[in-house]
């Protein structure tokens, strides 16, 4: 037997939001004199901002705003980013300016921009720096117009540039690749697949899958809530997000990963135990002296009870002996007094006749003897002697009424005794037959061990099939809409139609009147009452036979272990659902408080990321990632198709899931010819490369023409944009 590996225990740690993350910078003078561009990677999950001359963004914070009333200060407070998560009151009111991946709440967006400019140390009345901001592909023109209007009218920025975040990430890693590529941007709300050619993004061929980091966290949370409906603590969305980030991975073969879960020996390789915090009950530990005093007290109580029971038994024995003495005196008085007086005393004592007195005396003697034997520790072996039959052969004419009654009693006792003897002989015969069968079975086992074992296994399987068939039929009969129930209802309806001899039944048989028996719930209730088949005897026989076969297999088959028995295999603790919820190790104990605060994350580790390849798992009516990439690739021809297949680029925070690159490569390779060269590369830093690429773009002096100036805004309006290879195009 292979020993299962012990699974690792994990805890869900919350971020520490108590300390401020950023302080106001003091190096603004050098940037003000150089008019350094400000780069803002405005993501729906996190916002990254900083000077274009820096290597990394100066600020990275959650893109949320919270307005709440501080009761301690008795004033309204506005918190942005990490500060919005530091206080429970602020956290409950935290909201994002984004709806999906589009900015919709520009009041909150203004608060976020204020926060960025304050932290960067800008202390002038206007923002005298060009601003380059990232956006999602195909952003609605209204949203961009409002953003442009906000920056020019409220902050008086000199110029504004826009670009697509995933294209900036590609630019930071590969530059302006002219040969073409396919960019897979796995973001917080969506996954975009953007083809490029000649250094430009082909937005007309871009496709989107509505699944990303937020949806995966929500799906993980729903799966955990369904799996543990009575979990003693509430699981939050941030905790579900932590599970996705730390434990989820993309399986190279999803079906094989599911089958692995059915193997108990390999189950622990996928199972992760998440331990939630809990307060253990305080158990009062007693000293050795206290335990000794309690044990002595219990022994004293037990001794007192034993003494009371002994006194009670002695009192009963004395009472029976006294009663026996009285009855014996009455019996001995028969020859000393007149018969009439003796019968009167017999009636007065409550006896019908002398035989009744003899029976009572006999029973008392047996009871007294049993009590004395019990006191002395003597075990009794009750031997039933043949009944007295001295009156059976005497004709009734020679007997009086009393002896006739005694004769009938002897006949009944003899009949009962004979019946017991016949039953005993029958049992003895059955025992001899069973011993003979056992001897023959043992001889067969010795002659052909392998054949005998296979025969026992075959017999056992037949019994198991009968038991399962019986349970399946019972389950189907309990379901009103099952085929078995419908056939039974049809038979009952036909029976009801045949037993009715009126004209209505004739019309039904001719098909002129519809039979509605069984369509009413009252008919169904009657059906359930009359269809209760008592199969307990057959089930008991099958279970007895099954236990016999399994005991033989346990004794003679080294491969058949106790956990392979039908009882263990059919136990609720051995079902797959119990395995997924409670794991293999440690054994589940409902009374263990620590285990009641544990989550077992196993199938969810591969199921949550699998949605990006099979959106139908969550009911999303879209093609998966592989099919979408295939649809885009087939729009290219010749060398262009070969070039894009050699340059598939992954970026975005959700692309950091382990195994995504390998799974996408193997899936694409399986649907293309063997000679097709497929290369997939992931961004060096899928989270920050969008900002870094935008900073590279802003530092390049030749790209200034792609910025919209304040004069152009006033002349052409807020809808005006300038097209470039890394940005969106004008919507016509």
């Amino acid at each position: 037997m292979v020993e299962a590996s012990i699974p690792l225990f994990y805890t869900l740690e919350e971020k520490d939001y108590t300390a401020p993350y950023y302080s106001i910078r003091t190096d603004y003078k050098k940037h003000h004199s150089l008019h350094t561009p400000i780069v803002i990677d405005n993501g729906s999950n996190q916002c990254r901002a900083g000077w274009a001359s820096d290597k990394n963004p100066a600020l990275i914070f959650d893109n949320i705003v919270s307005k709440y009333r501080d009761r301690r200060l008795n004033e309204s407070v506005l918190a942005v980013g990490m500060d919005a998560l530091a206080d429970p009151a602020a956290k409950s009111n935290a909201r994002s300016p984004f709806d999906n991946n589009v900015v919709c709440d520009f009041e909150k967006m203004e608060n976020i921009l204020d926060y960025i400019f304050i932290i960067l140390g800008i202390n002038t009345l206007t923002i005298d720096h060009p601003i380059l901001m990232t956006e999602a592909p195909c952003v609605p023109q209204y949203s961009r117009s409002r953003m442009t209007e906000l920056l020019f009218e409220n902050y008086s920025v000199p110029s504004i540039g826009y670009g697509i975040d995933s294209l900036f990430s590609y630019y930071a890693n590969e530059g302006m690749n002219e040969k073409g590529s396919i960019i897979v941007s796995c973001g917080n709300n969506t996954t975009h697949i953007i083809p490029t050619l000649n250094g430009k993004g082909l937005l007309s061929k871009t496709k989107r899958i509505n699944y990303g980091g937020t949806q995966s966290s929500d799906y993980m949370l729903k799966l955990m809530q369904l799996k543990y409906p009575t979990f003693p603590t509430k699981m939050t969305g941030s905790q579900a997000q932590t599970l996705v980030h730390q434990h989820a991975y993309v399986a190279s073969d999803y079906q094989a990963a599911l089958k692995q879960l059915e193997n108990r020996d390999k189950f622990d390789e996928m199972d992760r135990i998440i331990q939630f915090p809990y307060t253990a009950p305080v158990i009062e530990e007693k000293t050795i002296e206290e335990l000794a005093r309690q044990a002595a007290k219990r022994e004293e109580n037990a001794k007192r009870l034993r003494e009371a029971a002994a006194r009670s038994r002695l009192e009963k024995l004395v009472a029976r002996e006294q009663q026996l003495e009285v009855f014996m005196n009455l019996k001995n008085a028969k020859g000393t007094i007149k018969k009439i007086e003796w019968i009167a005393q017999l009636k007065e004592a409550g006896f019908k006749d002398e035989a009744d007195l003899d029976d009572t005396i006999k029973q008392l003697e047996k009871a007294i003897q049993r009590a004395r034997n019990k006191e002395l520790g003597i075990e009794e072996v009750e031997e039933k002697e043949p009944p007295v039959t001295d009156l059976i052969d005497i004709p009734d004419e020679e007997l009086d009424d009393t002896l006739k009654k005694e004769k009938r009693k002897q006949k009944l006792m003899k009949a009962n005794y004979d019946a017991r003897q016949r039953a005993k002989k029958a049992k003895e015969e059955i025992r001899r037959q069973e011993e003979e069968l056992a001897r023959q079975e043992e001889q067969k086992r010795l002659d052909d061990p392998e054949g005998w074992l296979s025969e026992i296994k075959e017999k056992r399987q037949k019994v198991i099939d009968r038991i399962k068939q019986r349970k399946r039929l019972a389950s189907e009969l309990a379901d009103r809409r099952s085929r078995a129930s419908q056939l039974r209802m049809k038979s009952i309806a036909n029976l009801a139609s045949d037993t009715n001899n009126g004209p209505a039944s004739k019309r039904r048989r001719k098909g002129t009147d519809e039979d509605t028996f069984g369509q009413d719930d009252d008919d169904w209730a009657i059906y359930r009452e009359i269809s209760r088949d008592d199969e307990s005897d057959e089930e008991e026989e099958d279970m007895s036979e099954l236990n016999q076969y399994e005991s033989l297999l346990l004794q003679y088959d080294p491969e058949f272990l106790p956990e392979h028995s039908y009882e263990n295999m059919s136990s609720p603790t051995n079902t797959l659902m119990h395995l997924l919820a409670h794991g293999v190790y440690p054994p589940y104990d409902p009374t263990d408080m620590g285990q009641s605060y544990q989550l077992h994350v196993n199938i969810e580790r591969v199921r949550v990321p699998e949605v990006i390849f099979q959106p139908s798992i969550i009911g999303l009516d879209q093609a998966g990632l592989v099919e979408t990439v295939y649809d885009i690739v087939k729009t290219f021809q010749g060398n262009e198709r070969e070039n894009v297949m050699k340059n598939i680029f992954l970026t975005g925070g959700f692309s950091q899931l382990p195994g995504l690159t390998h799974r996408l490569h193997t899936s694409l390779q399986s649907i293309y010819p063997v000679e097709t060269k497929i290369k997939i590369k992931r961004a060096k830093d899928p989270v920050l490369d969008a900002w870094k690429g935008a900073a590279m773009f802003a530092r390049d002096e030749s790209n200034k023409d792609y910025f919209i100036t304040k004069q152009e805004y006033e002349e052409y309006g807020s809808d005006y944009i300038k097209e470039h290879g890394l940005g969106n195009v004008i919507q016509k």
Side-chain angles (χ1 to χ4, degrees), residues 382-593:
E382 186 176 356
E383 295 183 359
K384 292 187 178 181
E385 299 178 354
V388 179
T389 58
D390 55 345
L391 298 177
I392 292 179
D393 297 331
I394 302 175
D396 292 345
E397 292 81 6
E398 300 178 7
L399 302 173
D400 56 10
D401 294 339
T402 303
L403 294 177
K404 287 180 180 179
K405 291 181 180 179
E406 184 66 23
K407 179 181 178 180
R408 287 196 295 270
K409 182 179 178 181
Q410 289 181 3
K411 285 184 177 181
L412 290 174
M413 294 180 66
K414 185 177 185 303
N416 291 334
Y417 179 78
D418 293 341
R420 288 195 298 270
Q421 292 299 316
R422 288 194 298 271
K424 186 177 180 180
K425 290 180 180 179
K427 289 182 179 179
E428 186 67 22
E429 183 64 26
I430 293 174
R431 185 184 64 81
R432 285 197 297 269
Q433 292 178 0
E434 290 178 351
E435 289 179 354
E436 179 63 22
L437 291 176
R439 188 190 63 78
Q440 295 176 1
E441 194 75 17
E442 180 67 14
Q443 187 63 37
K444 187 186 297 183
R445 183 186 69 82
L446 295 174
D447 294 341
D448 185 10
E450 294 182 359
W452 178 81
L453 277 177
S454 61
E455 184 179 353
I456 293 295
K457 290 179 181 179
E458 184 178 351
K459 291 179 180 179
R460 173 180 175 270
Q461 189 59 44
K462 288 181 180 179
V463 176
I464 292 177
D465 293 341
R466 286 202 303 269
I467 295 174
K468 289 183 178 180
Q469 179 64 25
R470 190 180 297 109
K471 289 183 178 181
R472 191 181 304 112
L473 181 60
S475 176
E476 291 179 356
L477 289 176
D479 184 6
R480 180 176 180 175
R481 294 176 175 82
S482 66
R483 185 173 181 274
S485 293
Q486 295 296 328
L487 292 176
R488 183 68 63 84
M489 291 288 285
K490 185 176 180 180
S491 300
I492 294 174
N494 293 335
L495 179 62
S497 175
D498 293 338
T499 55
N500 188 352
N501 296 323
S505 62
K506 295 179 179 178
R507 288 197 302 271
R508 279 197 293 270
R509 284 195 290 270
K510 293 179 180 179
T512 57
D513 190 13
E514 183 181 1
D515 181 16
T516 61
F517 183 84
Q519 295 184 4
D520 192 1
D521 287 340
D522 294 335
D523 296 337
W524 175 247
I526 297 172
Y527 162 67
R528 285 190 298 180
E529 288 293 329
I530 66 176
S531 64
R532 291 176 179 173
D533 298 328
D534 187 10
E535 298 179 348
S536 59
D537 294 339
E538 296 181 6
E539 185 175 358
E540 186 176 349
E541 292 177 1
D542 286 341
M543 291 303 298
S544 176
E545 189 176 354
L546 180 62
N547 292 334
Q548 180 182 358
Y549 293 146
E550 290 184 345
S551 63
L552 291 173
L553 291 174
L554 286 172
Q555 185 177 0
Y556 297 110
D557 188 0
E559 297 180 357
F560 190 83
L561 302 176
E563 53 265 27
H564 298 155
S565 64
Y566 176 76
E567 182 179 359
N568 287 333
M569 295 300 291
S570 59
S571 173
T573 59
N574 287 327
T575 59
L576 183 59
M577 293 301 296
H578 186 276
L579 191 67
L580 295 176
H582 303 293
V584 177
Y585 182 88
Y588 177 62
D589 183 7
T591 61
D592 188 350
M593 180 173 288

